[in-house]
Amino acid sequence: MIKAALDHGFGCACHTSMSDTPVSRRKLLAGAAMLGAASVLSAHGARAQAAKTKVIDTHHHFYPPAYQKAWMDWEDARKIPHFATQVGWTREKAVEELDKNGIASGVLSIASTPGTWFNLDAAGAEKMARTCNEFGTEMVRDYNGRFGLFATLSMIDIDATLKEIEYAFDILHADGVGLQTNYGDKWLGNPVYKPVLDELNRRRAVVYVHPLVASCCAQLSVGAFPAVIEVPHDTTRTVTSLLLSGTFGRLRDIKWLFSHAGGTIPMLAGRIQAFYGRSTRGDQSALTAEGIAEEFRRLHYDTANATSAPADEAGADVPDHLRLRLSLFSVESDRDDPADGAALRRPARNRERERGAAGATSGERVSLM
């Protein structure tokens, strides 16, 4: 039995409002001809019966009862305030949020879990992951077309995690898996996770990655709530670990989807390229500036909690040779712009350009990126 050594981590507060969730197109799995290699989700659950727009929320957390209780107990024991939207979450309210925002479907995922599965042992963490995955599958079944599922993985016992991958895809028919940026201060490029990522690559899986505050770094937030600063930086840490470990270069069939517009990657992409794209620090494992840029181009991001104009422009203004594939969208900031509808969120100049696309619907405009 292979286990990954773990320490304590902190959960991430990205769900200040259920209506702040990002949206993207459905039919994003490999084989969607319209999007080609940029696709990241399957057509399973693509057509919502109650929503008119053809968009999908890929950052849609859900809280099965056992998981919710464990989270509340964790926070109560540490006198940490609860999030009202999390406490009030129900399956019915989840559907109401989709309808209110004109979203066709939401892909269910577990938020990054505090304490690395609430400090459960390997067996307890695996049981919790299975409980969450089966609850999510029930929602997919009970609300036909409204939900997909990113199955969660415990990542503590590697052998058990591999079995959960098999169960999630072959029995539950999940749309992909949801991982955290770190588990006990081991980021995803760590060699201990190689068997898991190899199997996901073999299955050509969508891998959705959600950040949390690493146990090392909660005190670095200079008095701010830890999630404010450290959460976006942890996405950058795990992306960089996957780059420098050669994981991105080695596993070409995973469709990577990162949260919060890539954290601070849009701002630091050029710096990473500058340091590791030339031989200024010794052997860089054959990384080149062009190779790093190509790896970044293969990534996808949602835009949850990245809805300000500077966050928009951080992705839009990256030079072409470093451009990140910011291919997912938020419903939040365009609600007052009927020309674009509630489904899309783009830098202003992109939206102006797309208005000229003859006959393009809001759902179709997504494919123009």
Side-chain angles (χ1 to χ4, degrees), residues 39-81:
S39 302
V40 293
L41 291 177
S42 75
H44 167 65
R47 294 171 297 277
Q49 298 178 2
K52 296 180 180 179
T53 52
K54 297 178 181 179
V55 293
I56 183 168
D57 178 355
T58 61
H59 193 132
H60 197 101
H61 296 321
F62 72 116
Y63 301 92
Y67 180 84
Q68 178 84 301
K69 183 180 185 304
W71 191 307
M72 297 297 105
D73 289 348
W74 169 273
E75 291 184 338
D76 286 341
R78 292 157 180 80
K79 295 180 170 50
I80 300 173

Short mmCIF file of all heavy atoms in Angstrom, two decimals, residues 39-81:
data_model
loop_
_atom_site.label_atom_id
_atom_site.label_comp_id
_atom_site.label_asym_id
_atom_site.label_seq_id
_atom_site.Cartn_x
_atom_site.Cartn_y
_atom_site.Cartn_z
N SER A 39 -10.77 21.48 -26.00
CA SER A 39 -11.91 20.96 -25.27
C SER A 39 -11.48 20.30 -23.98
O SER A 39 -10.44 19.70 -23.90
CB SER A 39 -12.65 19.93 -26.13
OG SER A 39 -13.06 20.52 -27.33
N VAL A 40 -12.36 20.41 -22.95
CA VAL A 40 -12.01 19.76 -21.69
C VAL A 40 -13.12 18.98 -21.03
O VAL A 40 -12.88 18.33 -20.02
CB VAL A 40 -11.46 20.78 -20.66
CG1 VAL A 40 -10.14 21.34 -21.10
CG2 VAL A 40 -12.47 21.86 -20.37
N LEU A 41 -14.33 18.99 -21.52
CA LEU A 41 -15.40 18.27 -20.85
C LEU A 41 -16.17 17.39 -21.80
O LEU A 41 -16.24 17.65 -22.99
CB LEU A 41 -16.38 19.25 -20.18
CG LEU A 41 -15.85 20.03 -18.99
CD1 LEU A 41 -16.92 20.99 -18.52
CD2 LEU A 41 -15.45 19.09 -17.88
N SER A 42 -16.82 16.38 -21.25
CA SER A 42 -17.60 15.46 -22.06
C SER A 42 -18.96 16.06 -22.39
O SER A 42 -19.41 17.02 -21.79
CB SER A 42 -17.80 14.14 -21.34
OG SER A 42 -18.74 14.29 -20.32
N ALA A 43 -19.66 15.42 -23.32
CA ALA A 43 -20.99 15.86 -23.69
C ALA A 43 -22.04 15.32 -22.74
O ALA A 43 -23.21 15.64 -22.85
CB ALA A 43 -21.31 15.40 -25.12
N HIS A 44 -21.63 14.49 -21.79
CA HIS A 44 -22.55 13.92 -20.81
C HIS A 44 -23.22 15.03 -20.02
O HIS A 44 -22.59 15.87 -19.43
CB HIS A 44 -21.76 13.01 -19.86
CG HIS A 44 -22.51 12.62 -18.63
ND1 HIS A 44 -23.64 11.85 -18.67
CD2 HIS A 44 -22.29 12.90 -17.33
CE1 HIS A 44 -24.07 11.65 -17.44
NE2 HIS A 44 -23.26 12.30 -16.60
N GLY A 45 -24.51 15.09 -20.05
CA GLY A 45 -25.23 16.13 -19.32
C GLY A 45 -25.18 17.49 -19.98
O GLY A 45 -25.40 18.49 -19.32
N ALA A 46 -24.90 17.51 -21.28
CA ALA A 46 -24.66 18.80 -21.93
C ALA A 46 -25.92 19.61 -22.13
O ALA A 46 -25.89 20.82 -22.12
CB ALA A 46 -23.97 18.57 -23.27
N ARG A 47 -27.01 18.97 -22.35
CA ARG A 47 -28.22 19.71 -22.72
C ARG A 47 -29.13 19.86 -21.52
O ARG A 47 -29.74 18.92 -21.06
CB ARG A 47 -28.92 18.97 -23.86
CG ARG A 47 -28.11 18.98 -25.14
CD ARG A 47 -28.72 18.06 -26.17
NE ARG A 47 -28.73 16.66 -25.72
CZ ARG A 47 -27.67 15.87 -25.84
NH1 ARG A 47 -26.57 16.32 -26.38
NH2 ARG A 47 -27.74 14.62 -25.43
N ALA A 48 -29.23 21.05 -21.01
CA ALA A 48 -30.11 21.30 -19.87
C ALA A 48 -31.53 21.49 -20.38
O ALA A 48 -31.75 22.14 -21.39
CB ALA A 48 -29.66 22.53 -19.12
N GLN A 49 -32.47 20.93 -19.66
CA GLN A 49 -33.86 21.05 -20.09
C GLN A 49 -34.50 22.33 -19.59
O GLN A 49 -35.48 22.80 -20.17
CB GLN A 49 -34.64 19.83 -19.59
CG GLN A 49 -34.12 18.53 -20.17
CD GLN A 49 -34.87 17.32 -19.63
OE1 GLN A 49 -35.80 17.48 -18.85
NE2 GLN A 49 -34.47 16.15 -20.03
N ALA A 50 -33.96 22.90 -18.49
CA ALA A 50 -34.62 24.06 -17.90
C ALA A 50 -33.90 25.37 -18.17
O ALA A 50 -34.37 26.41 -17.75
CB ALA A 50 -34.75 23.85 -16.39
N ALA A 51 -32.75 25.33 -18.81
CA ALA A 51 -32.00 26.56 -19.07
C ALA A 51 -31.88 26.78 -20.57
O ALA A 51 -31.79 25.84 -21.33
CB ALA A 51 -30.61 26.48 -18.44
N LYS A 52 -31.87 28.05 -20.98
CA LYS A 52 -31.87 28.37 -22.40
C LYS A 52 -30.47 28.54 -22.96
O LYS A 52 -30.24 28.29 -24.13
CB LYS A 52 -32.68 29.65 -22.63
CG LYS A 52 -34.16 29.49 -22.29
CD LYS A 52 -34.91 30.79 -22.54
CE LYS A 52 -36.39 30.64 -22.20
NZ LYS A 52 -37.13 31.89 -22.42
N THR A 53 -29.54 29.02 -22.16
CA THR A 53 -28.20 29.27 -22.67
C THR A 53 -27.37 28.01 -22.63
O THR A 53 -27.51 27.19 -21.75
CB THR A 53 -27.51 30.35 -21.83
OG1 THR A 53 -27.60 29.99 -20.46
CG2 THR A 53 -28.16 31.70 -22.05
N LYS A 54 -26.48 27.90 -23.59
CA LYS A 54 -25.64 26.71 -23.69
C LYS A 54 -24.30 26.97 -23.02
O LYS A 54 -23.26 27.01 -23.65
CB LYS A 54 -25.45 26.32 -25.15
CG LYS A 54 -26.75 25.94 -25.84
CD LYS A 54 -26.51 25.60 -27.30
CE LYS A 54 -27.81 25.25 -27.99
NZ LYS A 54 -27.61 24.94 -29.43
N VAL A 55 -24.37 27.16 -21.72
CA VAL A 55 -23.15 27.41 -20.97
C VAL A 55 -23.12 26.48 -19.77
O VAL A 55 -24.14 25.95 -19.34
CB VAL A 55 -23.06 28.87 -20.50
CG1 VAL A 55 -22.89 29.81 -21.66
CG2 VAL A 55 -24.30 29.24 -19.68
N ILE A 56 -21.93 26.31 -19.21
CA ILE A 56 -21.78 25.40 -18.08
C ILE A 56 -20.92 26.04 -17.01
O ILE A 56 -19.95 26.73 -17.31
CB ILE A 56 -21.18 24.06 -18.52
CG1 ILE A 56 -21.10 23.12 -17.34
CG2 ILE A 56 -19.82 24.23 -19.15
CD1 ILE A 56 -20.78 21.70 -17.74
N ASP A 57 -21.29 25.80 -15.77
CA ASP A 57 -20.53 26.26 -14.62
C ASP A 57 -19.57 25.13 -14.22
O ASP A 57 -20.00 24.09 -13.74
CB ASP A 57 -21.51 26.57 -13.49
CG ASP A 57 -20.83 27.01 -12.21
OD1 ASP A 57 -19.59 26.97 -12.16
OD2 ASP A 57 -21.55 27.37 -11.27
N THR A 58 -18.29 25.33 -14.44
CA THR A 58 -17.32 24.29 -14.14
C THR A 58 -16.73 24.42 -12.74
O THR A 58 -15.83 23.66 -12.37
CB THR A 58 -16.15 24.30 -15.16
OG1 THR A 58 -15.49 25.56 -15.08
CG2 THR A 58 -16.67 24.06 -16.57
N HIS A 59 -17.22 25.37 -11.97
CA HIS A 59 -16.70 25.60 -10.62
C HIS A 59 -17.90 25.60 -9.67
O HIS A 59 -18.26 26.61 -9.08
CB HIS A 59 -15.97 26.93 -10.57
CG HIS A 59 -15.13 27.13 -9.35
ND1 HIS A 59 -13.82 27.57 -9.40
CD2 HIS A 59 -15.40 26.97 -8.03
CE1 HIS A 59 -13.34 27.68 -8.17
NE2 HIS A 59 -14.29 27.33 -7.32
N HIS A 60 -18.54 24.46 -9.54
CA HIS A 60 -19.81 24.36 -8.83
C HIS A 60 -19.66 23.38 -7.67
O HIS A 60 -19.78 22.16 -7.84
CB HIS A 60 -20.91 23.90 -9.79
CG HIS A 60 -22.29 24.15 -9.28
ND1 HIS A 60 -23.07 25.21 -9.69
CD2 HIS A 60 -23.03 23.49 -8.36
CE1 HIS A 60 -24.23 25.19 -9.06
NE2 HIS A 60 -24.23 24.14 -8.25
N HIS A 61 -19.39 23.90 -6.48
CA HIS A 61 -19.17 23.03 -5.32
C HIS A 61 -20.48 22.46 -4.78
O HIS A 61 -21.53 23.11 -4.86
CB HIS A 61 -18.47 23.81 -4.21
CG HIS A 61 -17.09 24.27 -4.58
ND1 HIS A 61 -16.23 23.49 -5.32
CD2 HIS A 61 -16.44 25.43 -4.32
CE1 HIS A 61 -15.09 24.16 -5.50
NE2 HIS A 61 -15.20 25.33 -4.92
N PHE A 62 -20.38 21.27 -4.25
CA PHE A 62 -21.54 20.65 -3.61
C PHE A 62 -21.11 20.06 -2.27
O PHE A 62 -19.92 19.82 -2.04
CB PHE A 62 -22.18 19.60 -4.51
CG PHE A 62 -21.41 18.32 -4.67
CD1 PHE A 62 -21.93 17.11 -4.20
CD2 PHE A 62 -20.17 18.29 -5.30
CE1 PHE A 62 -21.23 15.92 -4.36
CE2 PHE A 62 -19.47 17.12 -5.46
CZ PHE A 62 -20.00 15.92 -4.98
N TYR A 63 -22.09 19.84 -1.40
CA TYR A 63 -21.78 19.48 -0.01
C TYR A 63 -22.66 18.33 0.46
O TYR A 63 -23.72 18.55 1.06
CB TYR A 63 -21.96 20.71 0.89
CG TYR A 63 -21.08 21.86 0.49
CD1 TYR A 63 -21.54 22.84 -0.40
CD2 TYR A 63 -19.78 21.96 0.95
CE1 TYR A 63 -20.72 23.88 -0.81
CE2 TYR A 63 -18.94 23.00 0.56
CZ TYR A 63 -19.42 23.96 -0.32
OH TYR A 63 -18.61 24.98 -0.72
N PRO A 64 -22.27 17.10 0.20
CA PRO A 64 -23.02 15.95 0.71
C PRO A 64 -23.14 16.03 2.23
O PRO A 64 -22.26 16.58 2.90
CB PRO A 64 -22.16 14.76 0.28
CG PRO A 64 -21.37 15.27 -0.89
CD PRO A 64 -21.10 16.71 -0.59
N PRO A 65 -24.22 15.51 2.80
CA PRO A 65 -24.45 15.66 4.25
C PRO A 65 -23.28 15.24 5.12
O PRO A 65 -22.91 15.96 6.07
CB PRO A 65 -25.68 14.78 4.49
CG PRO A 65 -26.41 14.82 3.18
CD PRO A 65 -25.34 14.84 2.12
N ALA A 66 -22.67 14.09 4.86
CA ALA A 66 -21.57 13.62 5.71
C ALA A 66 -20.36 14.55 5.59
O ALA A 66 -19.68 14.84 6.59
CB ALA A 66 -21.17 12.19 5.33
N TYR A 67 -20.11 15.01 4.38
CA TYR A 67 -19.00 15.93 4.14
C TYR A 67 -19.27 17.28 4.79
O TYR A 67 -18.40 17.88 5.43
CB TYR A 67 -18.82 16.09 2.63
CG TYR A 67 -17.70 17.01 2.21
CD1 TYR A 67 -16.39 16.55 2.13
CD2 TYR A 67 -17.95 18.33 1.85
CE1 TYR A 67 -15.36 17.39 1.72
CE2 TYR A 67 -16.94 19.17 1.43
CZ TYR A 67 -15.65 18.70 1.37
OH TYR A 67 -14.64 19.54 0.97
N GLN A 68 -20.50 17.76 4.64
CA GLN A 68 -20.89 19.04 5.25
C GLN A 68 -20.73 19.00 6.77
O GLN A 68 -20.20 19.93 7.38
CB GLN A 68 -22.34 19.35 4.88
CG GLN A 68 -22.90 20.64 5.48
CD GLN A 68 -22.53 21.85 4.65
OE1 GLN A 68 -21.35 22.14 4.45
NE2 GLN A 68 -23.54 22.56 4.17
N LYS A 69 -21.18 17.92 7.40
CA LYS A 69 -21.07 17.79 8.85
C LYS A 69 -19.61 17.78 9.29
O LYS A 69 -19.23 18.44 10.27
CB LYS A 69 -21.77 16.54 9.35
CG LYS A 69 -21.74 16.39 10.87
CD LYS A 69 -22.44 15.14 11.33
CE LYS A 69 -22.51 15.10 12.86
NZ LYS A 69 -21.19 15.20 13.51
N ALA A 70 -18.77 17.04 8.56
CA ALA A 70 -17.36 16.99 8.91
C ALA A 70 -16.72 18.36 8.80
O ALA A 70 -15.89 18.74 9.64
CB ALA A 70 -16.63 15.98 8.01
N TRP A 71 -17.11 19.13 7.79
CA TRP A 71 -16.57 20.48 7.60
C TRP A 71 -17.03 21.40 8.74
O TRP A 71 -16.23 22.13 9.31
CB TRP A 71 -17.02 21.04 6.25
CG TRP A 71 -16.32 22.30 5.83
CD1 TRP A 71 -16.20 23.45 6.54
CD2 TRP A 71 -15.66 22.53 4.58
NE1 TRP A 71 -15.52 24.40 5.82
CE2 TRP A 71 -15.17 23.86 4.61
CE3 TRP A 71 -15.47 21.76 3.44
CZ2 TRP A 71 -14.49 24.43 3.54
CZ3 TRP A 71 -14.79 22.32 2.36
CH2 TRP A 71 -14.29 23.64 2.42
N MET A 72 -18.33 21.36 9.06
CA MET A 72 -18.84 22.21 10.13
C MET A 72 -18.18 21.86 11.47
O MET A 72 -17.82 22.74 12.26
CB MET A 72 -20.35 22.05 10.25
CG MET A 72 -21.15 22.49 9.03
SD MET A 72 -21.02 24.25 8.62
CE MET A 72 -19.94 24.15 7.18
N ASP A 73 -18.02 20.56 11.72
CA ASP A 73 -17.37 20.14 12.96
C ASP A 73 -15.93 20.63 13.03
O ASP A 73 -15.44 21.05 14.09
CB ASP A 73 -17.42 18.61 13.08
CG ASP A 73 -18.82 18.08 13.36
OD1 ASP A 73 -19.71 18.90 13.68
OD2 ASP A 73 -19.02 16.86 13.22
N TRP A 74 -15.24 20.56 11.91
CA TRP A 74 -13.86 21.03 11.83
C TRP A 74 -13.78 22.52 12.20
O TRP A 74 -12.95 22.93 13.01
CB TRP A 74 -13.30 20.79 10.43
CG TRP A 74 -12.00 21.46 10.15
CD1 TRP A 74 -11.81 22.73 9.69
CD2 TRP A 74 -10.69 20.91 10.34
NE1 TRP A 74 -10.47 23.01 9.55
CE2 TRP A 74 -9.76 21.90 9.94
CE3 TRP A 74 -10.22 19.68 10.76
CZ2 TRP A 74 -8.39 21.70 9.98
CZ3 TRP A 74 -8.85 19.48 10.80
CH2 TRP A 74 -7.95 20.47 10.43
N GLU A 75 -14.65 23.31 11.60
CA GLU A 75 -14.62 24.75 11.86
C GLU A 75 -15.08 25.07 13.28
O GLU A 75 -14.51 25.95 13.94
CB GLU A 75 -15.49 25.46 10.83
CG GLU A 75 -14.90 25.43 9.43
CD GLU A 75 -15.68 26.22 8.42
OE1 GLU A 75 -16.89 26.46 8.64
OE2 GLU A 75 -15.09 26.60 7.38
N ASP A 76 -16.10 24.36 13.77
CA ASP A 76 -16.57 24.60 15.13
C ASP A 76 -15.46 24.35 16.15
O ASP A 76 -15.29 25.11 17.11
CB ASP A 76 -17.77 23.71 15.45
CG ASP A 76 -19.04 24.18 14.74
OD1 ASP A 76 -19.09 25.36 14.31
OD2 ASP A 76 -19.97 23.36 14.61
N ALA A 77 -14.71 23.28 15.93
CA ALA A 77 -13.64 22.93 16.87
C ALA A 77 -12.55 23.99 16.91
O ALA A 77 -11.82 24.11 17.90
CB ALA A 77 -13.04 21.58 16.50
N ARG A 78 -12.43 24.77 15.83
CA ARG A 78 -11.38 25.79 15.74
C ARG A 78 -11.95 27.21 15.78
O ARG A 78 -11.23 28.16 15.53
CB ARG A 78 -10.58 25.57 14.45
CG ARG A 78 -9.77 24.28 14.51
CD ARG A 78 -9.43 23.73 13.15
NE ARG A 78 -8.65 22.50 13.29
CZ ARG A 78 -9.22 21.31 13.55
NH1 ARG A 78 -10.54 21.20 13.69
NH2 ARG A 78 -8.46 20.23 13.67
N LYS A 79 -13.26 27.29 16.09
CA LYS A 79 -13.93 28.58 16.18
C LYS A 79 -13.78 29.41 14.91
O LYS A 79 -13.54 30.63 14.94
CB LYS A 79 -13.44 29.36 17.40
CG LYS A 79 -13.78 28.71 18.73
CD LYS A 79 -13.27 29.51 19.90
CE LYS A 79 -13.81 28.98 21.23
NZ LYS A 79 -13.64 27.53 21.42
N ILE A 80 -13.88 28.70 13.78
CA ILE A 80 -13.80 29.34 12.47
C ILE A 80 -15.23 29.61 11.98
O ILE A 80 -16.06 28.69 11.99
CB ILE A 80 -13.08 28.45 11.46
CG1 ILE A 80 -11.64 28.17 11.93
CG2 ILE A 80 -13.07 29.08 10.07
CD1 ILE A 80 -10.91 27.14 11.09
N PRO A 81 -15.56 30.83 11.59
CA PRO A 81 -16.92 31.12 11.12
C PRO A 81 -17.27 30.31 9.88
O PRO A 81 -16.42 30.05 9.02
CB PRO A 81 -16.88 32.62 10.80
CG PRO A 81 -15.69 33.14 11.54
CD PRO A 81 -14.70 32.02 11.58
#
